[in-house]
Amino acid sequence: MSKYAFGVDIGGTTVKLGLFDKEANVLRKWEVITSKECGGTKILPDVAESILNVMAEMKIAKEDVIGVGVGVPGPVDAKGTINKAVNLGWGVFNIPEVLEGLLGVPVKAGNDANVAAVGEMWQGGGKGYKNLVVVTLGTGIGGGIIVDGEMLTGSRGAAGEIGHIHVNDEEEEACGCGNKGCLEQYGSATGIAKLAAKRLAKDEMHSVLRNKPFVSAKAVFDAVKENDPVAIEIAEEFGDYLGKGLATIAAVVNPEVFVIGGGVSKAGEILFKYIEPVMMKHTFHGCRNVELKLATLDNDAGIFGAAALFLM
Ligand SMILES: [Zn+2]
């Protein structure tokens, strides 16, 4: 009788792994270094070796493993084929095919943000919902869209790239993707820091943010909580961009909930004060049932979601 699944979240510097039972308990959680030598060809063998070691230690037979789910930082189609992961040095190949060959157990793979969204639906902030969009406000903006309980991958695995929705015609700086005026240029931690730098340079208005050499997204929201007027203006600008972006997504997906995660979400529900009014103002009336919630799995969303590809 099969009893366990592994969740693997491959990142640019570390690979997070988790061993789960059918009841979603994490029995073991660990990390290995992402070896980027030789065009990333060592990564999957390292993952396989690490999993086989844990199976041997815990006396888990191959027959007891339902499967190994994998999230990777790049577009992955519904069959598990990666279409280039620049961070890992990977080209185009089928992940399950390679990893099943190394492990001898079933493997499924998906884009890391999409897989993390599945994790939040399974055991996190989106638990109980079947139509949700997970928005990860980190260095960039990641997104995972779930419709009727199914992860949306799109034709080439690039569905849910909501950070690159165009929201500003006036932008002169390029986004990491090469376009100009993408949502993540204003709504991510990096984006908020840039909004802050621009706002502070505009005039001399008093602000606690002026004493700092670098104004981070965290510093902005800490100052908002102290009612700093400049920080509040920055938060309003952030909320304006993100609220409009979410309204656009709501009109396309009609989700029950947006689950907001990533480093910026550590500011807490105060974010919603700036996002929600703008979002509701611009959301099509038929989609205004959408709620805002905070993600709860933090950096573990990826391993939960990867395991959920087999356990949910
Ligand atoms: Zn972009």
Side-chain angles (χ1 to χ4, degrees):
M1 197 180 91
S2 294
K3 295 173 196 134
Y4 307 101
F6 288 89
V8 182
D9 183 14
I10 302 180
T13 50
T14 57
V15 180
K16 297 188 177 68
L17 300 103
L19 170 64
F20 294 77
D21 65 15
K22 277 180 159 175
E23 284 72 46
N25 298 305
V26 187
L27 306 178
R28 171 93 67 107
K29 201 171 90 174
W30 73 104
E31 289 185 4
V32 298
I33 300 291
T34 307
S35 163
K36 287 193 270 192
E37 300 157 42
C38 313
T41 51
K42 289 183 176 170
I43 298 172
L44 291 180
D46 285 353
V47 166
E49 190 191 342
S50 183
I51 287 174
L52 291 171
N53 284 343
V54 168
M55 284 167 62
E57 259 177 56
M58 299 188 68
K59 301 194 166 47
I60 297 172
K62 280 185 185 173
E63 302 76 59
D64 293 330
V65 178
I66 306 166
V68 175
V70 186
V72 297
V76 179
D77 72 12
K79 294 203 166 91
T81 297
I82 173 85
N83 183 6
K84 289 179 194 162
V86 185
N87 280 345
L88 308 178
W90 286 3
V92 180
F93 66 94
N94 186 265
I95 296 165
E97 222 171 82
V98 174
L99 203 50
E100 281 172 4
L102 295 165
L103 284 169
V105 301
V107 173
K108 290 181 186 174
N111 165 266
D112 54 1
N114 293 349
V115 166
V118 174
E120 288 291 342
M121 169 172 66
W122 187 42
Q123 295 294 326
K127 199 172 179 179
Y129 297 93
K130 292 283 171 219
N131 288 280
L132 58 146
V133 178
V134 175
V135 181
T136 307
L137 308 176
T139 314
I141 295 185
I145 299 173
I146 293 171
V147 178
D148 296 331
E150 297 286 336
M151 181 170 80
L152 190 73
T153 53
S155 58
R156 293 276 170 87
E161 288 291 344
I162 61 179
H164 304 287
I165 292 175
H166 181 77
V167 291
N168 182 9
D169 285 342
E170 312 297 318
E171 183 62 52
E172 286 169 0
E173 249 183 78
C175 171
C177 74
N179 291 343
K180 290 174 180 172
C182 291
L183 182 58
E184 77 173 29
Q185 290 183 275
Y186 317 97
S188 64
T190 324
I192 295 167
K194 281 194 181 154
L195 291 179
K198 270 192 190 153
R199 174 60 193 86
L200 288 164
K202 205 171 88 178
D203 60 30
E204 296 295 311
M205 196 201 274
H206 172 78
S207 169
V208 295
L209 298 173
R210 291 204 187 274
N211 313 323
K212 300 174 192 297
F214 170 75
V215 178
S216 64
K218 182 181 187 303
V220 170
F221 282 99
D222 285 348
V224 165
K225 288 170 190 165
E226 294 168 34
N227 290 317
D228 185 86
V230 174
I232 288 170
E233 276 185 43
I234 299 163
E236 283 170 351
E237 200 180 357
F238 152 85
D240 194 61
Y241 281 115
L242 199 62
K244 284 177 187 162
L246 296 187
T248 303
I249 300 164
V252 179
V253 180
N254 187 17
E256 297 161 276
V257 63
F258 284 114
V259 178
I260 312 292
V264 174
S265 73
K266 298 226 164 70
E269 295 201 347
I270 192 160
L271 292 175
F272 300 166
K273 184 179 162 191
Y274 297 94
I275 303 168
E276 196 163 21
V278 182
M279 177 182 86
M280 283 305 176
K281 183 178 166 202
H282 296 287
T283 294
F284 172 63
H285 67 82
C287 302
R288 276 188 208 139
N289 60 312
V290 69
E291 297 172 48
L292 287 172
K293 285 189 182 290
L294 292 170
T296 60
L297 295 179
D298 219 346
N299 293 327
D300 289 342
I303 56 170
F304 270 87
L309 297 179
F310 283 97
L311 294 177
M312 199 171 61

